[in-house]
Amino acid sequence: MNNQQEVTAIHHSIVDSTMAIIAGLFLIEQINKNSAKVFIHDGIKIDIDKDLIVLGLKMNLKDSLIEDFGESDGLN
């Protein structure tokens, strides 16, 4: 693995860890708001957990940003 690949791998790890923290905070907010691990939108309840939130962040943020701006700029 060359230096750039190693830096990119570390950057992915940092971004993934950050998303896990954000997911945990969002889950705490929803538990406090709804008294359960659910997200409610327009009266529809969706059961959530931290892994599901991370998956949503990854699909909607990380992958889209990498696709739009390339790996190094997208992760930044």
Side-chain angles (χ1 to χ4, degrees):
M1 185 181 301
N2 67 34
N3 285 347
Q4 184 57 44
Q5 289 171 321
E6 193 169 331
V7 167
T8 300
I10 292 168
H11 206 157
H12 272 280
S13 176
I14 291 168
V15 170
D16 291 345
S17 297
T18 303
M19 287 192 309
I21 292 168
I22 292 167
L25 292 171
F26 181 77
L27 186 57
I28 289 169
E29 178 69 20
Q30 294 308 302
I31 292 169
N32 286 334
K33 181 179 175 184
N34 302 315
S35 300
K37 292 183 350 180
V38 296
F39 176 72
I40 302 172
H41 180 69
D42 289 337
I44 299 170
K45 285 186 181 182
I46 303 168
D47 292 329
I48 56 173
D49 63 22
K50 195 171 104 179
D51 293 336
L52 182 62
I53 298 166
V54 168
L55 179 62
L57 287 170
K58 182 178 182 332
M59 291 173 59
N60 290 299
L61 279 177
K62 184 179 177 185
D63 290 349
S64 294
L65 290 171
I66 289 171
E67 184 178 305
D68 290 347
F69 301 107
E71 194 162 33
S72 71
D73 288 339
L75 291 173
N76 282 329

